Amino acid sequence: MKKILGLKILIVATLLFGSCTNLDQEFYDRVTPETFFKSEKDIKAALYRPFTHARWYLGEDRWNLQEYTADQFAITTKGRHWYNGGENERYHYHRWTPDDNWIWGTWRGTLMGVALALDAKQDLEKLDYTKFALTQADKDDHVNQLNTLIAFFYLRGLDYFGGLPIFESLDAESLPRNTDKETFAHIEKLLKEAILKLPKKKAGDKEEGAFRQAGAAALLARLYFNAEAYVGQPMFAECKKLCQDILAHQYGDYSLDATWYGPHSFTNDRSPEIIWSIPSEFNKLQYDWFFNPFYHYNTTKYLDIDGGPWNGAHLTPSKKPTGEWYVEYKLGSPFRKYNDLDLRKRPYKYLGGGRYEGMFIFGPHLTPSGAVINGGEEYKDQPLVFVDQVGRFSEVGPGKRYASISELPSRMADGEENTGVRPVKVPIPNNTDKSLRWGADNPAIRLTEIQYMLAECLLREGDKGGAAALINEVRKRNFENGTDPDPVTADNLDDYRMLDEWGIEFLAEGRRRTDLIRWKKFTTESWWDHQPSDNHYNRFPVPTQAISGNNNLAQNDGY
């Protein structure tokens, strides 16, 4: 009987991620594309399946490894909640091990993504598209979308782990890891070939999840942008050229959105800034994984919605328990980094009809009508007020654990139910407009990233003025009448200001660890309740579960 590894992987993925509930199907020992594909609909179903995996992959464990290990986010222990066996502290303090679940989920999800895309690609390559009233151009588009998706998964895996097993067929088993440079070269080759055959976006086209030329070019720019961390060879000049070409419309028609919320709104499929996104729609592959971890149990009253959030994650604090700023750290304190006049720094408020303002939950928690929302843990039957601090304030006072606020420690172990500012990067409508919920697509690649990459390349060349102009072109949309009270200048732009600008614009977009590593600050710098760690933590270990299933896999140094 012919072994079809792709079919095995597809069945395993279905069982793991719940895309199919009919498990009573009859499977044959030989399935070929020529007999399976009956219509264009079948072709598109095969093409889209790996993209649904990418939708899952962009959140959860992969996001966790990028953000909770860095300086902008934390999941503090809140009384009896969220200690989780010390897992959250291990990531914050850089003490993770090969046995940690987020790492295993990311390794497995990366290679499964490659396998799913490769499986679909191999099937589609065998088809005569003319039998489906399709053209060779259609076939080239589909195959190279999958090549780009394979490169995307390998690029993310290279970022997390270094070299990965490279496979271009699903027949091989127990492959060893290729080197960092071999993995890098494989990604580069896939993307360079895809760019030549993918179509360009035209003005007015909606972004509905397909890769076009600019998407492949942007991924190639990312590869070069971080090449020094990946293979020890700076390639900022190569990144610069790609970014300039993308901005010059050589790979399609894109422009910056006029508003800060345009790339994130319910209609962001029409934003001219989106280069690649993952579509989302209420009850249809909705982009919502972050809702439960970020928000308090009673935030449903604040938002006037249904649901059951878990009250875990928040921004790292800008203030000490005493109210003083954390001036000793150049990194972290993300809420403070937003200028007070920044339109995003207002409390999130849904205005109806798909309109909203602000990007954060902080301060007194009130219903839309202004009624006080009480807590349910430390502040049970007391008004809930979210603070940009971490400390057990409920334990201060006569006869309590701490005599005064000045005695309060501020650590991962010291959270409360109201600890931390909560971001609302993805808008949430109220129950009146429930049909809009999760209608905002996940903007996986934005033109702003291209502009900021180019700015950083110019900064590294010494052209601070040119870099500042590119950043300020984006910043001005965040202020009334485009008047920025704290623009970037040649005098104030350095590596820390550049990191601040990345952190402000791309807060919660799952990239912070990579940016810190590129600037050699991920393991060398301090931020709130975090001290420098060993250099080997720039990469995650190969998970124990992966090695136990394939003893040809070599472990990363230091683990």
Side-chain angles (χ1 to χ4, degrees):
M1 182 175 71
K2 179 180 178 183
K3 177 166 65 174
I4 304 177
L5 183 58
L7 181 60
K8 286 186 177 181
I9 290 172
L10 193 59
I11 293 169
V12 169
T14 299
L15 293 176
L16 283 173
F17 304 113
S19 353
C20 177
T21 55
N22 179 12
L23 303 180
D24 297 323
Q25 302 174 60
E26 183 176 3
F27 291 100
Y28 299 90
D29 66 350
R30 186 177 185 88
V31 178
T32 64
E34 292 83 356
T35 58
F36 177 78
F37 290 90
K38 303 296 184 183
S39 66
E40 180 183 355
K41 183 178 179 181
D42 294 331
I43 290 176
K44 290 188 174 179
L47 173 65
Y48 296 158
R49 172 62 188 92
F51 282 88
T52 65
H53 183 76
R55 164 203 165 268
W56 165 83
Y57 184 87
L58 280 166
E60 302 185 35
D61 292 351
R62 277 63 52 201
W63 190 97
N64 296 348
L65 292 184
Q66 284 288 84
E67 298 291 358
Y68 295 133
T69 63
D71 62 322
Q72 293 190 310
F73 282 90
I75 303 176
T76 53
T77 301
K78 300 171 182 62
R80 61 196 178 101
H81 299 290
W82 285 104
Y83 178 65
N84 285 11
E87 179 180 55
N88 301 320
E89 293 186 3
R90 287 198 300 278
Y91 287 108
H92 185 82
Y93 296 137
H94 292 188
R95 297 174 186 165
W96 54 77
T97 75
D99 297 320
D100 277 307
N101 289 331
W102 294 350
I103 295 170
W104 165 236
T106 298
W107 174 275
R108 180 187 62 178
T110 299
L111 294 180
M112 185 176 289
V114 172
L116 287 168
L118 183 58
D119 190 39
K121 173 190 169 183
Q122 290 179 335
D123 283 348
L124 297 186
E125 283 179 326
K126 296 173 184 175
L127 298 179
D128 179 354
Y129 266 49
T130 61
K131 293 181 178 179
F132 303 92
L134 297 172
T135 66
Q136 182 62 41
D138 293 322
K139 185 174 183 176
D140 288 343
D141 177 13
H142 294 171
V143 168
N144 284 285
Q145 282 195 59
L146 292 167
N147 279 334
T148 304
L149 193 59
I150 291 168
F152 164 76
F153 286 119
Y154 269 123
L155 175 55
R156 292 296 297 267
L158 177 65
D159 188 278
Y160 289 122
F161 301 104
L164 296 169
I166 296 175
F167 51 98
E168 298 184 73
S169 162
L170 297 179
D171 295 326
E173 294 184 359
S174 300
L175 292 173
R177 298 173 67 188
N178 288 76
T179 66
D180 302 344
K181 290 185 177 181
E182 288 169 341
T183 305
F184 185 99
H186 184 58
I187 298 165
E188 183 181 38
K189 177 175 179 289
L190 286 168
L191 292 173
K192 282 185 172 181
E193 292 177 356
I195 289 171
L196 296 175
K197 294 187 177 181
L198 286 171
K200 296 180 181 179
K201 177 189 175 185
K202 300 184 291 295
D205 286 351
K206 286 186 177 181
E207 173 49 52
E208 296 179 330
F211 270 119
R212 297 185 176 97
Q213 275 190 18
L219 291 178
L220 187 59
R222 281 185 185 177
L223 181 71
Y224 292 150
F225 195 46
N226 295 287
E228 186 174 12
Y230 297 157
V231 294
Q233 177 185 350
M235 299 183 72
F236 293 107
E238 291 84 348
C239 176
K240 173 186 172 183
K241 178 64 167 61
L242 274 168
C243 292
Q244 289 172 327
D245 289 346
I246 293 170
L247 291 170
H249 310 294
Q250 291 193 26
Y251 297 107
D253 199 323
Y254 302 88
S255 60
L256 293 177
D257 204 295
T259 65
W260 70 265
Y261 52 81
H264 309 286
S265 70
F266 301 106
T267 56
N268 62 347
D269 58 330
R270 297 198 291 268
S271 172
E273 183 171 318
I274 305 298
I275 292 176
W276 179 49
S277 65
I278 303 294
S280 175
E281 189 176 344
F282 187 52
N283 287 334
K284 295 180 180 179
L285 295 176
Q286 56 193 37
Y287 170 41
D288 65 352
W289 69 268
F290 50 84
F291 173 73
N292 287 332
F294 281 160
Y295 304 123
H296 187 277
Y297 325 112
N298 292 337
T299 295
T300 52
K301 299 176 183 178
Y302 176 85
L303 298 170
D304 186 23
I305 59 172
D306 304 317
W310 304 334
N311 195 31
H314 52 81
L315 301 186
T316 53
S318 305
K319 294 180 179 180
K320 302 175 183 180
T322 57
E324 301 167 276
W325 298 113
Y326 278 113
V327 295
E328 61 266 44
Y329 305 128
K330 292 184 177 181
L331 298 176
S333 301
F335 190 60
R336 185 189 179 196
K337 299 290 174 64
Y338 288 83
N339 188 281
D340 288 344
L341 296 180
D342 193 318
L343 297 171
R344 295 167 295 183
K345 203 173 183 178
R346 297 176 179 177
Y348 175 79
K349 183 179 181 181
Y350 183 67
L351 303 174
R355 298 173 302 111
Y356 64 98
E357 66 180 21
M359 204 176 77
F360 298 98
I361 294 174
F362 63 97
H365 220 34
L366 307 173
T367 68
S369 64
V372 172
I373 300 172
N374 291 332
E377 297 288 333
E378 292 88 355
Y379 299 98
K380 183 176 175 61
D381 299 326
Q382 299 178 54
L384 195 56
V385 180
F386 288 99
V387 296
D388 191 15
Q389 297 162 287
V390 174
R392 298 288 296 173
F393 294 92
S394 62
E395 298 183 5
V396 175
K400 295 186 178 181
R401 186 176 178 185
Y402 303 102
S404 68
I405 288 176
S406 62
E407 296 179 12
L408 281 180
S410 185
R411 305 164 302 192
M412 285 289 290
D414 298 317
E416 294 184 318
E417 65 176 311
N418 66 330
T419 291
V421 174
R422 316 298 171 93
V424 189
K425 196 72 179 273
V426 180
I428 302 172
N430 58 24
N431 275 332
T432 301
D433 288 340
K434 191 172 183 177
S435 62
L436 291 177
R437 195 169 179 187
W438 315 129
D441 297 343
N442 183 350
I445 304 176
R446 302 196 274 129
L447 190 68
T448 305
E449 178 185 357
I450 306 304
Q451 190 137 331
Y452 275 37
M453 283 198 286
L454 178 56
E456 185 173 317
C457 290
L458 293 179
L459 168 61
R460 290 173 180 272
E461 289 180 353
D463 183 3
K464 291 187 174 184
L470 288 167
I471 297 168
N472 288 333
E473 187 180 358
V474 177
R475 281 183 58 92
K476 66 182 181 182
R477 70 185 180 189
N478 303 313
F479 300 92
E480 292 280 5
N481 302 316
T483 304
D484 183 353
D486 183 28
V488 178
T489 67
D491 291 333
N492 66 27
L493 183 58
D494 59 10
D495 47 354
Y496 291 102
R497 179 69 190 252
M498 188 73 236
L499 277 170
D500 283 350
E501 295 304 324
W502 278 113
I504 291 169
E505 177 63 27
F506 291 91
L507 181 77
E509 294 190 42
R511 61 171 297 132
R512 187 60 174 176
R513 166 187 159 273
T514 300
D515 291 332
L516 294 181
I517 289 174
R518 188 178 60 258
W519 281 103
K520 299 180 174 64
K521 299 186 188 302
F522 184 65
T523 59
T524 62
E525 293 267 344
S526 299
W527 50 84
W528 172 78
D529 197 31
H530 174 90
Q531 297 300 314
S533 61
D534 189 80
N535 188 57
H536 78 270
Y537 286 108
N538 281 319
R539 287 186 175 167
F540 294 106
V542 179
T544 299
Q545 287 176 271
I547 293 176
S548 66
N550 178 4
N551 57 17
N552 290 322
L553 294 174
Q555 183 56 275
N556 280 333
D557 292 340
Y559 293 103

